[in-house]
Amino acid sequence: MIKSLNILLIEDDTIEVMKFKRVLKALALNHKITEANNGEDALQILKVKENIPDIIVLDLNMPKLNGLEFLAILKNDKILKYIPSIILTTSGNQKDILECYKIGIAGYILKPLKYDDYLDRIKRLVDYWSCNELI
């Protein structure tokens, strides 16, 4: 059975946030999305234990606290480090990919240019995590 996810989306680009939400709506998926514009905002959200998400989807290139800096802080927290974190970015840089996996991400997804490809990747992402046993 597919369960509804509580997703923390960390993305500074308003168009990307709208696109992510539009995909979930188009797929008729009833997941709760909490938005943060950057890593600093996300850490503030995560301070409230009732706001702990099932998964975190984040971009790498953000102002204030970028994705790698956010992940370093997250993975050093004794509770938050277990939240599956998935990178959703335009950066195919091998150094970025390696750094993210070293930190302990659960996945790395490149944002495709075509909307249909984007829709397919987001569907696969939420389908996968919806059928996982999460903490």
Side-chain angles (χ1 to χ4, degrees):
M1 183 175 142
I2 302 291
K3 62 183 170 246
S4 181
L5 293 172
N6 180 5
I7 302 169
L8 174 57
L9 177 62
I10 310 171
E11 173 63 67
D12 64 315
D13 186 332
T14 306
I15 293 171
E16 289 295 328
V17 172
M18 288 172 37
K19 186 166 62 170
F20 190 86
K21 288 175 153 183
R22 185 176 344 131
V23 164
L24 293 184
K25 187 174 183 179
L27 295 170
L29 300 173
N30 191 25
H31 300 293
K32 179 183 179 224
I33 301 172
T34 303
E35 300 170 37
N37 290 323
N38 56 61
E40 275 186 6
D41 292 348
L43 290 173
Q44 290 302 314
I45 290 168
L46 292 169
K47 281 183 179 180
V48 180
K49 297 306 177 197
E50 293 78 33
N51 290 340
I52 301 298
D54 296 312
I55 64 170
I56 296 172
V57 178
L58 71 147
D59 192 11
L60 284 182
N61 303 310
M62 297 179 290
K64 295 185 183 179
L65 193 64
N66 70 34
L68 285 171
E69 294 165 334
F70 168 80
L71 286 168
I73 294 168
L74 183 82
K75 295 303 178 182
N76 281 314
D77 184 284
K78 65 182 181 180
I79 296 170
L80 302 177
K81 69 181 177 181
Y82 297 109
I83 302 169
S85 302
I86 301 98
I87 304 298
L88 181 61
T89 187
T90 56
S91 174
N93 182 316
Q94 282 300 114
K95 183 180 175 206
D96 287 342
I97 296 169
L98 182 59
E99 279 304 308
C100 288
Y101 278 110
K102 278 184 187 176
I103 289 173
I105 61 162
Y108 196 102
I109 299 172
L110 290 175
K111 294 176 186 172
L113 296 175
K114 293 165 90 178
Y115 180 76
D116 288 342
D117 293 338
Y118 182 87
L119 185 134
D120 181 58
R121 288 188 188 176
I122 299 306
K123 180 180 182 333
R124 289 174 190 236
L125 167 75
V126 294
D127 283 353
Y128 176 78
W129 289 106
S130 292
C131 65
N132 266 278
E133 295 304 318
L134 301 168
I135 297 174

